[in-house]
Amino acid sequence: MTHGWTAWIVAAGLMVAGGATAFGHGHGGHGHGRNSQAKKDANSWRDGFRGPHDFGGGVRIPQDAGLNKGLGGGLDGRGFGRAVTPLDGGGRLDGSDLPLDGGASPGYRGGTFAGSVQ
Amino acid sequence: MPASLPLTLAGAGHRCSVALIVVLLAAAAAAAEPWPRWRGPDGAGQGGEARFPVEWTDSDWAWTAALPGAGNASPVVWDGRIYTASADEAAGRRFVTAHALADGKLLWSRDLPGPIDRHHVQNSSASGSVAVDVRGVYWMWGTQDGVRVEAFSHEGQPRWHADLGRYEGEHGFGATPAVCRDLLIVPDDQDGTSAIVALDAATGRERWRLPRESAKAGYSTPLVLDAGGAEPPLVMVTSMAHGVTAIDGLSGRVLWERECFPKRTVSSPILAGPLVIGTSGDGGGDNLLAAVRPPAGAGAEPEIAYTLDRSIAPYVPTPLCVGELIYLWGDRGVVTCVRAATGETVWRGRVGGTYSASPIAVGDTVRNVSADGEVVTIQAGDSFEVLGRAPLGETCRATPAVIGQRMVFRTAGRLLALDAERGQAADRVQASGSSGAAR
């Protein structure tokens, strides 16, 4: 069951990113084509955020797309606090080193994990 | 079992026959498909079709061998050799070892002195498993002073090492690298600065580095999907910070990504048909399984096919997919079988015990080892049935390896080898034209 899907997933994954695949060349190659797709996706991502117990807004984009879609939308509604990755060349949106939600990750307090050992 | 039989059977003819069988079994084991990473090829836990006992005693072991230290690293097998890692925490030493699959003889042991950090009681200073390829053996270990990747030849000669910088993680280190063609994919998912790094497997030089956001330190092993040919392999990773990520294995470029995990990821991603399965959780049992459907092509996005909540999703044990079913071996001894396509529960059953090791499929059975060292075998399929239990005699948090007719367990401080049932072994030997003497 698993083995037969590997080729499909590999080829489809490359098509998504605009790379050459067995199905032909995706549009855009590295960066530009996907970037426009990412911009189109931005609205759908924002629309997708529906708060607690919802997966909306979870899609993140390739590092070369120049846009990040990872805001909020944590499973528990608290968000993940990972708004901007270093990959897009920017810092965090609020210019701080802290998660945007001020400590969204469970147990995260000022750079250390305050939670007890599991 | 086979080692003792020549001594107990009467008659020189029988001794010769049995000795021949032992040699043939050892040769078959050496020639079988390797088990190059923990949980075997693709991390899928597919242990072949041999029929192994479901219950046994200490007298049934083909051999046992002591390790120089303790740890949780699972055994891997390549060309008749078992590789694993252990640590003597009191002495501040770690070991990478090679034992002969045929008889358990220690072939070499490499001593890696270094600091010992505090770690979770269920963790160890040698929890990451060895990865292996035709070039040699790879192992990584880490303390707050640094993460280090070690490469040895199959003969145990040091080839290279790479230092990846500091490690921060409240439970201690436990990552395992994955071979991806001529690269070694190193997951460095930690509380500090995280990254996925691809090292040249021949030289240790960095080929690409993908910086990653950090959330809670993860322990997932990358899943390498390689269709061969001109297509680059995909590296599938899971983390709390990013969810499921598909990476072009040759360039390090993120192809797609889907956030879905609210907690740390300890289990490793697997493929179930077209779905990528991963879990996250914590010690409180607040676990979640996400089945992510990769994007089907340009313009498509990854989707969550279904999720399963804390009552079903395991935290540490990696799910096992066999055919259309996924077996979810819960940390607290409840096994749930779901349909891979939908997540619909087929059955649930309590096997008891607590588990850090991951289930594997062997023949028509599913097996796992409890932390107390009890091997539990259940029937694979549409109904729940415990077929047998057998003790290893020691704590165990490692997943066994299966090579042809031999299964290798690793407890905290030992390796133990079990052979397939004698009837099947004898049948196989008869079919090859050798003596039909029963083992």
Side-chain angles (χ1 to χ4, degrees), chain B residues 374-387:
Chain B
E374 181 179 61
V375 183
V376 180
T377 302
I378 64 173
Q379 180 68 47
D382 288 339
S383 60
F384 172 69
E385 181 184 3
V386 176
L387 299 176

Side-chain angles (χ1 to χ4, degrees), chain B residues 55-415:
Chain B
E55 295 180 336
W56 61 88
T57 67
D58 277 350
S59 63
D60 292 321
W61 294 116
W63 52 259
T64 67
L67 294 167
N72 302 338
S74 297
V76 303
V77 182
W78 183 278
D79 196 20
R81 296 180 176 196
I82 305 165
Y83 301 99
T84 194
S86 57
D88 181 342
E89 295 190 345
R93 299 164 67 192
R94 293 171 176 81
F95 308 91
V96 175
T97 51
H99 288 75
L101 178 61
D103 58 10
K105 178 186 176 185
L106 177 64
L107 301 175
W108 54 261
S109 176
R110 290 294 167 262
D111 191 337
L112 304 168
I116 302 293
D117 276 359
R118 287 183 58 191
H119 55 71
H120 189 282
V121 66
Q122 295 177 6
N123 199 354
S124 73
S125 293
S127 289
S129 298
V130 170
V132 61
D133 68 4
V134 69
R135 289 169 289 257
V137 180
Y138 311 92
W139 188 60
M140 55 191 294
W141 57 283
T143 68
Q144 59 184 357
D145 291 342
V147 174
R148 185 167 165 121
V149 185
E150 314 274 359
F152 302 95
S153 71
H154 286 287
E155 304 305 321
Q157 300 304 313
R159 294 168 50 217
W160 53 261
H161 69 266
D163 293 307
L164 300 184
R166 288 176 55 81
Y167 177 78
E168 295 178 37
E170 63 178 328
H171 294 335
F173 189 82
T176 298
V179 173
C180 177
R181 295 193 185 174
D182 62 345
L183 300 178
L184 187 70
I185 308 298
V186 178
D188 188 10
D189 183 15
Q190 55 165 293
D191 294 351
T193 302
S194 296
I196 299 169
V197 182
L199 303 177
D200 188 308
T203 65
R205 285 199 296 268
E206 187 174 309
R207 295 269 288 270
W208 55 258
R209 173 181 290 262
L210 177 63
R212 299 271 82 186
E213 292 288 319
S214 296
K216 281 196 170 185
Y219 298 85
S220 298
T221 302
L223 168 62
V224 176
L225 299 177
D226 194 346
E231 299 288 316
L234 253 59
V235 176
M236 213 67 80
V237 295
T238 55
S239 68
M240 177 178 170
H242 294 268
V244 176
T245 304
I247 304 166
D248 179 334
L250 300 187
S251 70
R253 184 171 54 131
V254 174
L255 302 178
W256 55 265
E257 195 160 77
R258 187 63 161 92
E259 282 190 1
C260 52
F261 296 129
K263 303 280 185 176
R264 80 169 81 240
T265 56
V266 178
S267 75
S268 299
I270 64 164
L271 210 56
L275 303 178
V276 181
I277 308 292
T279 77
S280 73
D282 61 22
D286 192 9
N287 308 334
L288 183 134
L289 177 149
V292 175
R293 189 185 311 282
E301 293 183 341
E303 299 174 346
I304 302 292
Y306 58 83
T307 61
L308 301 174
D309 66 10
R310 58 181 299 156
S311 65
I312 295 177
Y315 171 35
V316 176
T318 292
L320 172 70
C321 181
V322 182
E324 305 296 326
L325 301 176
I326 297 177
Y327 301 88
L328 303 168
W329 203 293
D331 305 61
R332 297 174 183 177
V334 175
V335 184
T336 306
C337 176
V338 303
R339 300 205 182 282
T342 63
E344 173 195 2
T345 297
V346 178
W347 53 256
R348 303 193 75 193
R350 183 178 296 279
V351 294
T354 60
Y355 294 82
S356 295
S358 296
I360 58 172
V362 186
D364 59 356
T365 69
V366 175
R367 299 169 188 240
N368 201 359
V369 188
S370 75
D372 291 336
E374 181 179 61
V375 183
V376 180
T377 302
I378 64 173
Q379 180 68 47
D382 288 339
S383 60
F384 172 69
E385 181 184 3
V386 176
L387 299 176
R389 300 172 182 272
L392 298 181
E394 193 179 24
T395 300
C396 176
R397 301 188 186 280
T399 300
V402 185
I403 299 291
Q405 303 288 316
R406 182 155 285 179
M407 189 181 306
V408 178
F409 297 91
R410 185 261 166 86
T411 61
R414 289 196 303 166
L415 294 171

Side-chain angles (χ1 to χ4, degrees), chain A residues 1-3 5-23 26-27 29-31 34 37 41 44 55-64 69-76 78 80-87 92 105-108 111 113 115-118, chain B residues 42 120 168 170-171 191 210-217 225-227 231-234 236 240-242 248 252-264 271-276 281-284 288 290 294-302 304 307 315 321-325 340:
Chain A
M1 182 177 181
T2 294
H3 211 67
W5 285 103
T6 297
W8 180 85
I9 291 175
V10 169
L14 292 168
M15 284 184 70
V16 168
T21 77
F23 302 150
H27 47 256
H30 298 265
R34 180 58 187 161
Q37 182 63 46
D41 289 344
S44 63
F55 287 96
V59 177
R60 297 172 71 95
I61 57 174
Q63 66 206 70
D64 55 1
K69 303 180 292 181
L71 270 172
L75 292 177
D76 55 5
R78 290 177 292 181
F80 291 97
R82 298 182 302 279
V84 177
T85 73
L87 304 178
R92 296 183 184 279
S105 299
Y108 187 85
F113 281 88
S116 61
V117 174
Q118 293 166 355
Chain B
D42 297 336
H120 189 282
E168 295 178 37
E170 63 178 328
H171 294 335
D191 294 351
L210 177 63
R212 299 271 82 186
E213 292 288 319
S214 296
K216 281 196 170 185
L225 299 177
D226 194 346
E231 299 288 316
L234 253 59
M236 213 67 80
M240 177 178 170
H242 294 268
D248 179 334
R253 184 171 54 131
V254 174
L255 302 178
W256 55 265
E257 195 160 77
R258 187 63 161 92
E259 282 190 1
C260 52
F261 296 129
K263 303 280 185 176
R264 80 169 81 240
L271 210 56
L275 303 178
V276 181
D282 61 22
L288 183 134
E301 293 183 341
I304 302 292
T307 61
Y315 171 35
C321 181
V322 182
E324 305 296 326
L325 301 176

Side-chain angles (χ1 to χ4, degrees), chain B residues 18-29:
Chain B
V18 172
L20 176 60
I21 293 170
V22 172
V23 170
L24 290 171
L25 283 172

